[in-house]
Amino acid sequence: MSLIALSDVSLAFGHTTLLEHASLQVEARERVCLIGRNGTGKSSLLRILADVMAPDEGRRLCSEGVRVAHLEQEVPEGIDATIYQTVAAGLGTLGQLLAQFHDASAALRGDDARQLQQLAELQHAIDIQDGWNLSQKVEVALSRLSLPPDHLVSACSGGMRRRVMLAQALVNEPDVLLLDEPTNHMDIDAITALEELLLGFGGAVVFISHDRTLIRRLATRIVELDRGQLVSFPGDYETYLTRKQQMLDAQTRENARFDKFLAEEEVWIRQGIKARRTRNEGRVRRLEALREERRARVARSGNVSLNVDDRARSGQIVADLQAMSFGYGDAAIVKDLTLTVRRGDRIGIIGPNGCGKSTLLRLLLGQLAPQSGRVTLGTQLQIAYFDQQRAQLDPTLSVRENVSPGSDQIESAGRTRHIVGYLGDFLFTPARINSPVASLSGGERNRLLMAKLFTQPANLLVLDEPTNDLDAETLDLLEELLAEFTGTLLLVSHDRSFIDNVVTSVLAWEGDGHWGDYVGGYQDWLRQYQPREQMGSVARSAAARDAAPAPRKRSYKAQRELDQLPHTIETLEGRQLALQQRIGAADFYRQDKAGIADALAALDSITAQLAAAYARWEALEHSA
């Protein structure tokens, strides 16, 4: 029996139909990727599965006792709590008690009687609910996602906030995990670590993503939402692409046959009097039915039409950097970088969030002066800059006003066009172009920024995270545009497939302000790069395994460590249980305050060691 299912579900917002008598079943341990164009209703479908939204028609069915966790696309803002408190909140009331106990233990100073009494009361409340095993789940979730427990969520980056909310979803060990764009704002290391985590997850996963590398690694089934209908494609992403193309070819042939038959019937009915004299009323009714069928046929959404005016060539040298350095305080962003960017280069800039990729772009473009060294820009540069914050868009203005203020005509690729037709190339309907930018989705805003950028001639394209929120079809079209672009490209992206398909070289962060220049795309960089000590994370190892031609056998040392870990974990669990029983004893808080503090500190230490041991066990299990 399915863990969770939708039966004959329909949903509409106003005149827009998102789901029309759609059905879906999710089985145990399968990983279903839900794909479709931006705005087709994928997030709404996930909310119905999570039971946070009700359909207009149809039913949601869930097997008894099945636990469902849901990660929304937009991470909540302004969470005024620590990471530990937020993750523990996934356990409900008991999680609140565990978070209070964690905070009280951290705040304990000396022999404060009030603090000790508070700890005793919290410990008793947790004992009653047998909650110490759940405390270990919180520690494991924090360890697996490399989250600092005492940091405030409100002070975290967007990528780390997503990891916090994912840990909250995972901590209760759900049977079904629903993820809406889980990799948004994550860097490549975080994405590869997430892949490893989900590959080892024991429950079912339904996820929305446009990251093709992630889909290829995770998905066991593809479900496409297209014009209100759900179509299931068992198998991996490559199988989906093949079968989808076959379906589109068959649909094109069927539509052509139908249109030809309708045209023949139209010729016949125009005979008018003769048709009526034959009294062939059945044929007339059939023609009316054909016309109705044609009206009811929902046309497939169009594709974005992209075109950059790159006729004006820049000089041969676009930018020349000599021993350039820059930093903020003691943090080095760039250290002694020497690099020459030539006309036609396509450079991908990669590195973890916060390493300074956007700052490096500003240095390359001369918008920021280096603290030492030299940056010389080339001649005749015409720059189009796509910034990841979309700061060039005014949210108070309409779509039309952002692209062509005060005019209905626009100059694009050397010809004058009407604004309605131009924006139609970017999938904005005539009704939509008067909507304020504030009402647009993330994908629509990215398309609008492209529309705005491509009205100006450019021989240097600077794209800072252009792929966020874009659907797979638009990504393919953007790749085609960049393949035909004859100018120079500087690209910052965490989309590994996009990098592989677009760039000719990679400028990669290597720690402590050092950047390495490598020929090829992302996978080429993985094969060439020898990571520094600070970059040797589990995520890096996972990504390198992904790029390797064949799995490697564990070393003798790693295998021996893996064999010993179960005994180590068993010993730590035994010590943890003994301490929990000691702390739970009725006379525990009657002893001297130093003994109480030592016991609580020992419990915290063992819990942390246990979480680290579990994480190490998981890493070694996947290292072969």
Side-chain angles (χ1 to χ4, degrees), residues 401-514:
E401 291 166 335
N402 266 276
V403 176
S404 181
S407 175
D408 285 339
Q409 302 298 317
I410 197 164
E411 186 81 16
S412 173
R415 62 192 180 104
T416 302
R417 302 186 59 192
H418 194 276
I419 185 63
V420 174
Y422 177 73
L423 288 172
D425 287 346
F426 293 83
L427 304 186
F428 291 103
T429 64
R432 193 62 165 158
I433 67 173
N434 293 313
S435 301
V437 169
S439 69
L440 301 183
S441 67
E444 288 175 318
R445 293 191 188 197
N446 271 10
R447 293 205 309 267
L448 179 59
L449 184 50
M450 288 181 192
K452 183 179 178 70
L453 287 181
F454 296 164
T455 59
Q456 54 184 305
N459 51 37
L460 174 58
L461 275 180
V462 183
L463 306 180
D464 192 354
E465 295 289 0
T467 62
N468 281 347
D469 306 309
L470 289 183
D471 57 62
E473 291 181 64
T474 305
L475 283 174
D476 287 339
L477 289 164
L478 181 57
E479 287 175 0
E480 290 178 15
L481 165 75
L482 296 177
E484 297 170 359
F485 179 61
T486 60
T488 307
L489 172 68
L490 300 177
L491 168 71
V492 173
S493 179
H494 299 307
D495 187 321
R496 294 156 291 176
S497 294
F498 191 77
I499 295 171
D500 278 331
N501 295 340
V502 167
V503 307
T504 56
S505 65
V506 165
L507 192 60
W509 182 80
E510 298 181 346
D512 193 28
H514 295 285

Side-chain angles (χ1 to χ4, degrees), residues 37 46 50 163 165 225-226 232 252 260 278-279 322 334 385 416 419 434 440-442 457 540 556 563 610 619:
R37 299 295 293 267
L46 222 59
R163 283 158 48 204
M165 301 313 294
L225 177 56
D226 183 14
S232 180
T252 300
K260 181 180 178 182
T278 62
R279 298 187 180 277
Q322 295 294 325
V334 183
Y385 194 156
T416 302
I419 185 63
N434 293 313
L440 301 183
S441 67
R540 175 74 61 199
Y556 172 79
D563 293 339
L610 195 55

Side-chain angles (χ1 to χ4, degrees), residues 64 146 203 205 237 246 270 295 328-329 361 364:
E64 185 177 356
S146 303
V205 182
Y237 188 61
Q246 292 170 349
R270 290 192 189 100
R295 279 193 292 269
Y328 295 105
L361 278 182
L364 282 167

